Amino acid sequence: METVPPAVDLVLGASACCLACVFTNPLEVVKTRLQLQGELQAPGTYQRPYRGLVASVVAVARADGLWGLQKGLAAGLLYQGLMNGVRFYCYSLACQVGLTQQPGGTVVAGAVAGALGAFVGSPAYLALTRPGSVPSPSPAVSSQVKTQLQAQTVAAMAVGHQHQHASVLGALETIWRQQGLLGLWRGVGGAVPRVMVGSAAQLATFASAKAWVQERQWLPEDSWLVALAGGMVSSIAVVAVMTPFDVVSTRLYNQPVDGAGKGQLYRGLADCLLKIWRQEGPLALYKGLGPAYLRLGPHTILSLLFWDELRKVALQVQHQRA
């Protein structure tokens, strides 16, 4: 496979995933609410304001308005841009040095690229989960704020801990002041394994599925349908391996913290997994699976499709200049 310079892949990967995020963020909001519903409570012992995908979308729209379905979008775009820019840059470097041509190389390259991307983007994910200014906020914070913003709603529909941030910048500022620099990376232990397995599954299955479809010659080799088919196969693998980590990551990011910035419900990834398994049952690790697929599936397909098409354009420009 022809490659573009890693710096170009950084821009293309970030752009493709940000574009996909605009379309899939409402499903991310619903998925976050479903994953926090009934936190550390036995099945059947708690209120369920969110029931299934369609009913949950309606519930969010009624409680927060139609724009409530795009809660955390700014932090989501920040997270997608930072995390995937780094991820695709590192993967492109691996392709450039020939690592992906070795047996299992695509899986290793995808996992390492995902781990580095998750570390850089963890604050953004934190910001997305906590609604709430920090100049030039660190990438790891956005993820945390994203989750907390998406969880925030009116009291009657609230699930999980409510952080009461007014905006993304407000959330970042609150975390920075209360927990210091390290607070911006709280929950990163749950985010890194999640993105590692997802990235490895995504990039390995996408490359293999595309090659398989091209070998069968069912579609023209340069058709966008080839990337679409590869993305559809990849999306199933991604959701299967990521959902348990996604549930844990959501719980770790959204939990309340004490004065020292330590989580009050979970000590880390393993503790969270064990508590969910014991108190809510193993199926709780797949809470929000429907919305998780309907969000991660289209997001994976659109991201890979946009990335593949943008790379074709970049390669054409590269050839013309040569």
Side-chain angles (χ1 to χ4, degrees):
M1 182 177 69
E2 287 188 275
T3 60
V4 298
V8 174
D9 251 335
L10 183 154
V11 175
L12 299 184
S15 301
C17 294
C18 284
L19 185 56
C21 180
V22 174
F23 293 100
T24 60
N25 190 66
L27 293 168
E28 176 81 7
V29 173
V30 171
K31 181 208 69 168
T32 296
R33 303 280 178 91
L34 284 168
Q35 289 177 343
L36 290 171
Q37 185 168 255
E39 185 171 15
L40 297 183
Q41 299 178 59
T45 63
Y46 54 86
Q47 294 289 330
R48 294 180 60 197
Y50 306 102
R51 295 172 178 266
L53 174 64
V54 176
S56 296
V57 169
V58 173
V60 172
R62 284 179 175 171
D64 304 313
L66 287 177
W67 283 113
L69 291 167
Q70 286 290 9
K71 277 193 172 184
L73 179 60
L77 293 174
L78 177 61
Y79 173 63
Q80 291 294 332
L82 290 167
M83 189 270 284
N84 286 295
V86 171
R87 188 167 71 93
F88 281 103
Y89 177 80
C90 294
Y91 184 75
S92 185
L93 279 177
C95 291
Q96 195 174 65
V97 300
L99 175 60
T100 55
Q101 304 304 313
Q102 305 301 317
T106 305
V107 174
V108 173
V112 173
L116 292 172
F119 182 79
V120 171
S122 181
Y125 193 72
L126 179 67
L128 178 56
T129 59
R130 284 194 189 179
S133 84
V134 176
S136 298
S138 131
V141 179
S142 320
S143 174
Q144 189 178 144
V145 174
K146 174 183 80 72
T147 301
Q148 295 169 3
L149 282 167
Q150 289 177 338
Q152 184 171 294
T153 186
V154 296
M157 302 295 290
V159 290
H161 186 70
Q162 299 290 293
H163 291 271
Q164 303 304 323
H165 297 299
S167 65
V168 174
L169 290 179
L172 294 171
E173 182 178 24
T174 298
I175 295 168
W176 180 286
R177 287 180 176 176
Q178 293 182 356
Q179 302 171 38
L181 181 63
L182 293 180
L184 300 181
W185 272 269
R186 187 171 63 81
V188 72
V192 169
R194 169 183 175 272
V195 179
M196 275 185 71
V197 298
S199 180
Q202 182 197 68
L203 295 172
T205 54
F206 179 64
S208 300
K210 265 189 67 180
W212 186 78
V213 171
Q214 288 171 334
E215 286 172 5
R216 296 301 181 279
Q217 297 183 338
W218 291 335
L219 300 165
E221 186 174 346
D222 291 333
S223 172
W224 62 271
L225 292 172
V226 175
L228 178 65
M232 291 175 71
V233 173
S234 179
S235 69
I236 296 172
V238 168
V239 173
V241 301
M242 279 190 73
T243 299
F245 291 95
D246 200 43
V247 172
V248 170
S249 182
T250 296
R251 298 287 183 87
L252 289 174
Y253 278 134
N254 196 67
Q255 67 176 323
V257 296
D258 60 20
K262 293 183 179 180
Q264 294 182 358
L265 298 178
Y266 314 106
R267 292 192 300 274
L269 173 67
D271 182 55
C272 185
L273 274 169
L274 189 60
K275 284 181 176 176
I276 292 173
W277 184 286
R278 285 179 174 174
Q279 298 185 38
E280 301 176 53
L283 290 180
L285 292 171
Y286 280 89
K287 274 188 175 181
L289 178 62
Y293 179 76
L294 290 174
R295 182 265 165 187
L296 277 174
H299 185 81
T300 298
I301 294 168
L302 290 174
S303 296
L304 293 173
L305 177 60
F306 293 152
W307 176 58
D308 198 67
E309 291 300 305
L310 288 171
R311 291 180 93 252
K312 288 179 185 177
V313 174
L315 286 169
Q316 288 174 359
V317 172
Q318 192 171 289
H319 290 159
Q320 290 171 358
R321 288 181 176 176

